[in-house]
């Protein structure tokens, strides 16, 4: 039996005329979890969210919430609440009246809806502003009003469509913490659409990465970050360098790989065939800089194209024979003990234990930027 708030997607497709926006998706979002759906604009994530909410109907397939088939059930009867990206507050109503509006529509009496609205405003720390109108609030306060209005109906599932995109960096970080706290306190399922990778890995119990209407990968944020399934996922999650090459030879201990410029690498995978085209990833903080390859297991030579001081670390970008820049994150103390300059030719070196073989399809493609 499914738990209250579990979302089960079964073979869902959504077509708009000749365009298939969501393609044959099977997915389970656990009850009481925080799920972030991540992907570039046009990948299908908002359409997916709207189908869960009931604002769009699947062309085929089923959506179940808490074990009940809600595919064709009206929006207000499926136990979901949707927080819109633009908040959609009523400008002429007070904060308390905005929060209580859906309760009024549901037919609750004045005293009960006022009491429930105030209780929810206390949760989002806005009870002291209950009599103000939206124009008298900051952007972050308006967002919390919209959040309180969505939660006051006690939904099984709260759906959030890029809720932090309109906020400045300081407020985004603050509201991230607020969203996570509320989700844990209330214990309901949150499904949060975003195109921002740091937001997803900071908030989510489950990250779902979409591309062109399909789910490319789903899992815990650490697993998806460290073990991307494909070059597309590695690029979109960030923090990884991609290497493409050809297997030169293999043995029980691993495979020797060479790229077009003659840079050599070692993979622990022993089932690769000579001549096979492969892709693998190495975390940006897993490599070091060296003047020469020396006896490093893996090394790639390039010209420094950019250096950025990031406070706790320095980001050094190398232009190499690979399609993407090779980026190294060095601790600030390590970098400034041996600083480099743009235009220097240098090697990035790393151990084979840091290599992650990309077993997904289309190993030579998958650029989320479309380049």
């Amino acid at each position: 039996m499914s738990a209250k708030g579990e979302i089960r997607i079964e073979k869902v497709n959504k077509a708009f005329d000749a365009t298939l926006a969501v393609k044959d998706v099977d997915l389970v979002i656990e009850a009481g979890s925080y799920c972030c759906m991540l992907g570039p604009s046009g990948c299908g994530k908002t359409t997916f969210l709207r189908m869960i909410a009931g604002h769009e109907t699947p062309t085929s397939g089923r959506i179940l919430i808490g074990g009940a088939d809600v595919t064709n059930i009206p929006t207000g009867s499926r136990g979901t609440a949707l927080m819109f990206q633009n908040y959609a507050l009523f400008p002429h109503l007070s904060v308390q009246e905005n929060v209580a509006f859906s309760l009024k529509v549901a037919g609750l009496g004045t005293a009960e809806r006022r009491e429930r609205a105030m209780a929810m405003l206390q949760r989002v720390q806005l009870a002291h502003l209950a009599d103000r109108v939206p124009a008298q609030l900051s952007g972050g306060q308006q967002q919390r009003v919209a959040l309180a209005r969505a939660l006051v109906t006690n939904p099984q599932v709260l759906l959030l469509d890029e809720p932090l995109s309109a906020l400045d960096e300081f407020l985004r970080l603050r509201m991230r913490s607020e969203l996570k706290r509320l989700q844990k306190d209330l214990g309901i399922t949150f499904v949060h659409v975003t195109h921002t990778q740091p937001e997803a890995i900071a908030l989510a119990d489950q990250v779902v990465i979409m591309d062109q209407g399909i789910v490319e990968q789903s899992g815990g944020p650490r697993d998806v970050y460290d073990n991307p399934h494909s070059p597309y996922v590695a690029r979109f999650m960030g923090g990884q360098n991609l290497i493409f090459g050809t297997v030169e030879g293999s043995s029980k201990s691993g495979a020797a790989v060479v790229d077009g410029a003659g840079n050599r690498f070692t993979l622990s995978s022993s089932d690769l065939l000579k001549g096979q085209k492969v892709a693998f990833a190495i975390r940006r903080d897993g490599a070091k800089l060296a003047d020469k390859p020396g006896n490093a297991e893996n090394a790639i030579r390039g010209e420094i194209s950019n250096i950025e001081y990031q406070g706790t670390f320095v980001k050094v970008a190398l232009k190499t024979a690979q399609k993407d820049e090779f980026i190294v994150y060095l601790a600030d103390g390590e970098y400034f003990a041996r600083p480099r300059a743009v235009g220097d030719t240098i090697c990035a070196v790393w151990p084979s234990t840091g290599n992650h073989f990309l077993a997904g399809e289309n190993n030579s493609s998958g650029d989320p930027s479309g380049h």
Side-chain angles (χ1 to χ4, degrees):
M1 184 174 178
S2 298
K4 180 180 178 181
E6 179 192 78
I7 303 170
R8 190 171 292 272
I9 312 297
E10 298 180 349
K11 303 294 182 186
V12 163
N13 291 275
K14 178 61 180 179
F16 294 98
D17 297 324
T19 302
L20 199 56
V22 174
K23 305 174 186 177
D24 202 30
V25 169
D26 281 298
L27 183 69
V28 175
I29 299 172
E30 292 185 8
S33 66
Y34 201 125
C35 174
C36 281
M37 306 195 72
L38 185 64
S41 298
C43 72
K45 58 188 186 296
T46 296
T47 299
F48 198 88
L49 193 79
R50 289 175 60 81
M51 286 193 290
I52 297 173
H55 294 290
E56 300 283 356
T57 302
T59 305
S60 62
R62 296 200 309 163
I63 298 174
L64 295 91
I65 297 177
D69 187 343
V70 300
T71 312
N72 297 297
I73 290 178
T75 300
S77 304
R78 57 175 59 197
T80 63
L82 176 61
M83 181 176 161
F84 295 97
Q85 186 175 358
N86 64 357
Y87 311 148
L89 300 176
F90 296 110
H92 61 289
L93 297 182
S94 71
V95 165
Q96 186 180 36
E97 290 168 336
N98 264 283
V99 174
F101 183 80
S102 57
L103 302 177
K104 183 178 181 179
V105 171
L108 272 67
T110 302
E112 183 179 356
R113 65 177 184 257
R114 285 179 64 87
E115 181 181 350
R116 286 177 57 176
M118 284 302 293
M120 189 53 66
L121 284 171
Q122 287 173 351
R123 277 193 175 272
V124 298
Q125 301 169 16
L126 286 179
H128 62 295
L129 301 178
D131 294 329
R132 293 193 183 182
V133 295
Q136 296 173 312
L137 304 179
S138 68
Q141 289 167 340
Q142 288 182 29
Q143 187 194 52
R144 281 188 278 163
V145 174
L147 186 60
R149 183 181 60 184
L151 290 169
V152 77
T153 58
N154 295 322
Q156 293 186 57
V157 176
L158 177 65
L159 306 165
L160 304 107
D161 186 9
E162 301 203 27
L164 307 181
S165 61
L167 303 179
D168 62 37
E169 180 67 16
F170 176 79
L171 277 176
R172 275 201 302 273
L173 294 175
R174 181 176 174 184
M175 284 307 302
R176 272 191 350 208
S177 299
E178 186 73 8
L179 285 171
K180 189 69 172 178
R181 180 187 66 80
L182 275 169
Q183 192 272 328
K184 292 297 183 186
D185 287 350
L186 296 168
I188 67 175
T189 308
F190 276 32
V191 183
H192 175 141
V193 160
T194 180
H195 61 271
T196 307
Q197 172 264 351
E199 191 173 299
I201 62 174
L203 286 167
D205 303 308
Q206 178 181 3
V207 175
V208 178
I209 300 178
M210 295 192 68
D211 179 38
Q212 299 180 24
I214 66 171
V215 172
E216 277 280 343
Q217 189 168 347
S218 175
R222 186 178 181 187
D223 181 54
V224 175
Y225 187 88
D226 281 346
N227 302 296
H229 174 70
S230 66
Y232 172 83
V233 175
R235 284 190 176 105
F236 203 86
M237 287 302 289
Q240 302 271 3
N241 290 297
L242 294 179
I243 300 289
F244 299 92
T246 303
V247 176
E248 195 174 47
S250 62
S251 65
K252 291 182 179 179
S253 60
V257 175
V258 63
D259 69 6
N263 296 299
R264 297 184 177 278
F265 316 100
T266 302
L267 291 178
S268 58
S269 303
S270 58
D271 56 350
L272 302 177
L273 302 176
K274 184 176 181 179
Q276 182 178 345
K277 302 292 185 183
V278 295
F280 63 95
I282 171 67
R283 282 176 52 147
R284 293 174 177 178
D285 57 358
K288 303 293 184 184
L289 296 180
D291 293 322
K292 296 180 179 180
N295 58 358
E297 294 177 292
N298 298 270
I300 189 166
R301 181 174 291 278
E303 180 183 307
I304 296 178
S305 56
N306 192 36
I307 299 171
E308 293 181 357
Y309 175 59
Q310 300 286 326
T312 56
F313 69 95
V314 177
K315 175 183 174 182
V316 181
L318 305 182
K319 184 178 181 181
T320 72
Q322 297 288 326
K323 178 179 179 180
D324 302 334
E325 286 184 318
F326 192 99
I327 294 172
V328 179
Y329 290 163
L330 294 175
D332 61 335
E334 180 181 358
Y335 173 81
F336 287 111
R338 177 69 169 86
R340 311 288 180 167
V342 171
D344 286 354
T345 298
I346 203 76
C347 288
V349 298
W350 65 95
S352 295
T353 51
N355 288 335
H356 171 67
F357 178 66
L358 298 170
E361 295 181 1
N362 302 318
N363 269 353
S364 62
S365 61
D367 186 346
S369 69
H371 296 157

